[in-house]
Amino acid sequence: MTDKTNKDQNKEKSLLDDILGNAISSTNKFDEATAGLETKKCKSCGAARPSDTDLQYCDFCGNQFY
């Protein structure tokens, strides 16, 4: 009886190893990317604003950007 149990356990372990091996090998690998949005900060409150906008005043504190 223990011989049959050992065979079943080895078969299940082999099947699980095959499934996990396949999952690991087929998993997509992604490189880390950066956002690429350039910002400038308000000198008064430190709020970030996109650098390509024509804002003259900070929306948060009202300080003049330029």
Side-chain angles (χ1 to χ4, degrees):
M1 175 145 174
T2 60
D3 188 36
K4 184 177 180 187
T5 305
N6 286 341
K7 285 182 182 180
D8 289 342
Q9 287 177 347
N10 287 340
K11 186 177 180 182
E12 287 176 10
K13 184 178 179 185
S14 175
L15 179 63
L16 183 61
D17 288 342
D18 290 343
I19 291 171
L20 292 176
N22 185 28
I24 290 171
S25 68
S26 64
T27 302
N28 291 335
K29 311 286 189 282
F30 297 102
D31 292 332
E32 204 170 306
T34 57
L37 179 66
E38 293 186 27
T39 61
K40 59 176 139 181
K41 291 185 180 182
C42 174
K43 293 177 185 175
S44 179
C45 70
R49 307 307 292 157
S51 63
D52 59 348
T53 61
D54 293 333
L55 294 176
Q56 293 182 357
Y57 297 97
C58 177
D59 289 337
F60 294 99
C61 69
N63 190 41
Q64 190 171 4
F65 274 121
Y66 303 106

